[in-house]
């Protein structure tokens, strides 16, 4: 059977997911689209030649009998209501990050999903599907470098718009490290601190950039993540794991090594969509396959909640300058 999907929110990532559902992935097709701006939804229908109904209301789309699963790719503050609605209708839902803009909102989703009795939610954290991170995790799990002791990470963007604020370094940018490092180490965080190096002159006056986030995990692994969103030179994701007996490093994306004009070098990507394009494909195919097989396996509501709790502590730490504690309740057996 072909899974019939309705998409709520046809902005940048919504259209990108519609493109991959329509042109790249198998086993699903888009039968309904919605955006707060109906012209935007209509544009998606035209651009990808969809045979899909345009809904002016996301809730009506979720109610539609031919919509078997839902993709929530609207503005972050609307995610919670559309995910809760999908659960209420018993429809599987793929929700782009954030699952909800507060940890309390994520918890409401967890409670609704557990009350329903079956996993229905996959959160759009794509880095656990990235081949490089998977290879790095395999090395850690093999024990080759011994037990991990420290992680040195960086998340650099060439530039950001005027609307990007200091807390977005956590809620929009670091959130991916908060998810993938927790997944890679198999541990939760216990504390966070944020320190501010000398400010880049490329940053907007209202933005503290760069920032360094210091995290500690339950077993005492120390993690530093440099967030530098006006680094100018490219989109660059780094992760080095220092173990008891060796070091393992996230591979850079493959590029041609070029010797030319008395220089030796290789290209650096500038677009985040290109850097993780393959993992977006794999995560969404996993959602389709999970729904069709009756068992979702990707990042869960609990993962969305854990990232939100850690992000809240980091935002607090940005303001207080202190080490802030991160406390998670026990993980329910519902989310193994
Ligand atoms: P975007 O381009 O602004 O798209 C969001 C769309 O949702 C806009 O067209 C917006 O319309 C629409 N919208 C707002 N409120 C709505 C509502 N109540 N009902 C239906 N549609 C509504 O943003 P984006 O970059 O695609 O990001 C969307 C979400 O995906 C965000 O939560 C973002 O964090 C996440 N995201 C994740 C990744 C990742 O790496 N996993 C990458 C990019 C984005 P208006 O513009 O008219 O408000």
């Amino acid at each position: 059977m072909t899974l019939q999907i309705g998409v709520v929110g046809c902005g940048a990532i919504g259209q990108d997911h519609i493109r991959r559902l329509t042109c790249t992935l198998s086993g699903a097709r888009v039968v309904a689209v919605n955006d707060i701006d109906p012209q935007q939804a209509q544009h998606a229908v035209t651009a990808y030649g969809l045979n899909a109904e345009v809904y002016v209301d996301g809730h009506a789309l979720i109610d539609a009998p031919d919509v078997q699963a839902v993709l929530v790719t609207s503005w972050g503050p609307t995610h919670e209501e559309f995910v809760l609605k999908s659960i209420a209708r018993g429809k599987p839902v793929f929700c782009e990050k954030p699952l909800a803009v507060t940890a309390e909102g994520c918890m409401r989703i967890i409670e609704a999903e557990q009350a329903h009795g079956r996993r229905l939610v996959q959160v759009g954290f794509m880095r656990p599907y990235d081949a490089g991170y998977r290879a790095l995790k395999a090395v850690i799990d093999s024990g080759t470098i011994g037990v991990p002791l420290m992680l040195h990470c960086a998340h650099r963007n060439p530039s950001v718009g005027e609307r990007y604020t200091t807390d977005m370094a956590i809620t929009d940018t670091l959130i991916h490290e908060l998810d993938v490092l927790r997944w890679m180490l198999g541990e939760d965080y216990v504390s966070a601190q944020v320190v501010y190096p000398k400010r880049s002159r490329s940053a907007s006056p209202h933005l503290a950039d760069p920032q360094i986030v210091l995290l500690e995990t339950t077993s005492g692994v120390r993690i530093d993540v440099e967030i530098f969103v006006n680094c100018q030179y490219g989109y660059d994701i780094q992760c080095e794991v220092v173990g008891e007996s060796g070091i393992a490093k996230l591979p850079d994306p493959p590029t041609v090594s070029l010797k030319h004009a008395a220089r030796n070098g290789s290209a650096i990507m500038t677009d985040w969509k290109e850097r993780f394009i393959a993992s977006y494909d794999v995560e969404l195919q996993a959602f389709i396959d999970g729904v069709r097989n009756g068992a979702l396996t990707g990042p869960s509501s609990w993962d969305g909640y854990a990232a939100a709790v850690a992000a809240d502590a980091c935002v607090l730490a940005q303001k207080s300058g202190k080490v802030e504690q991160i406390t998670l309740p026990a993980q329910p057996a519902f989310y193994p």
Side-chain angles (χ1 to χ4, degrees), residues 11-13 34-36 74-75 79 96-97 124 126 176 272 280:
I13 196 92
N34 153 262
D35 194 279
I36 199 156
S74 49
W75 188 46
H79 290 184
E96 263 307 337
K97 60 89 183 161
M126 74 297 181
H176 286 293
W272 54 266
Y280 289 117

Side-chain angles (χ1 to χ4, degrees), residues 308-331:
V309 169
D312 284 353
C314 291
V315 171
L316 194 60
Q318 279 183 323
K319 292 173 184 145
S320 72
K322 295 183 186 151
V323 176
E324 300 292 346
Q325 302 308 308
I326 303 174
T327 313
L328 272 183
Q331 184 164 331

Side-chain angles (χ1 to χ4, degrees), residues 147-151 185 187 215-223:
V147 171
L149 308 174
M150 297 174 276
L151 270 61
L185 294 173
E187 287 188 48
L215 298 161
E216 183 184 5
T217 71
T218 41
S219 78
V221 178
R222 291 284 184 168
I223 301 170

Side-chain angles (χ1 to χ4, degrees), residues 89-307:
R89 291 288 170 272
K91 297 189 180 182
V93 52
F94 177 97
C95 179
E96 263 307 337
K97 60 89 183 161
L99 177 59
V101 287
T102 62
E104 293 76 24
C106 294
M107 187 46 86
R108 283 190 284 274
I109 290 171
I110 285 169
E111 284 165 1
E113 194 178 29
Q114 289 189 87
H116 176 76
R118 187 168 63 89
R119 248 198 86 177
L120 286 177
V121 182
Q122 179 173 329
V123 183
F125 285 130
M126 74 297 181
R127 287 205 196 171
Y129 293 101
D130 175 68
Y133 275 111
R134 293 184 86 85
L136 186 55
K137 180 169 172 54
V139 168
I140 295 170
D141 291 348
S142 74
T144 309
I145 61 166
V147 171
L149 308 174
M150 297 174 276
L151 270 61
H152 306 300
C153 309
H155 189 146
R156 304 189 186 114
N157 295 61
S159 62
V160 289
E162 282 288 315
R163 289 197 299 177
Y164 190 100
T165 50
T166 294
D167 60 333
M168 288 168 75
I170 306 296
T171 56
D172 264 42
T173 302
L174 180 78
I175 195 80
H176 286 293
E177 270 77 17
L178 290 174
D179 174 67
V180 77
L181 301 181
R182 174 177 170 271
W183 165 82
M184 203 170 70
L185 294 173
E187 287 188 48
D188 286 312
Y189 307 110
V190 293
S191 75
Q193 186 183 8
V194 178
V195 295
Y196 299 99
K198 184 169 175 170
R199 203 175 140 274
S200 165
R201 289 175 299 166
S202 303
S204 308
H206 62 266
L207 177 61
D209 187 43
Q211 304 177 31
I212 299 172
V213 181
L214 304 168
L215 298 161
E216 183 184 5
T217 71
T218 41
S219 78
V221 178
R222 291 284 184 168
I223 301 170
D224 55 89
V225 186
E226 171 202 312
I227 308 288
F228 188 11
V229 293
N230 287 284
C231 79
Q232 308 292 301
Y233 71 85
Y235 182 70
D236 192 13
I237 302 299
Q238 298 293 322
C239 178
E240 182 180 88
V241 183
V242 181
E244 289 169 310
S245 57
I247 290 172
K249 203 167 180 309
L250 181 72
D252 282 326
T255 58
V256 171
S257 168
L258 185 63
K259 292 181 183 173
H260 174 68
R263 291 195 177 272
N264 184 2
S266 56
I268 298 174
M269 285 181 171
T270 54
D271 185 350
W272 54 266
K273 273 204 253 63
E274 290 304 310
R275 170 65 180 83
F276 287 108
I277 192 161
S279 37
Y280 289 117
D281 289 350
V282 182
E283 70 164 355
L284 210 45
Q285 188 66 59
F287 174 72
I288 296 166
D289 296 346
V291 174
R292 294 173 80 199
N293 299 333
L296 289 179
T297 54
S300 67
S301 304
W302 186 261
D303 296 317
Y305 172 70

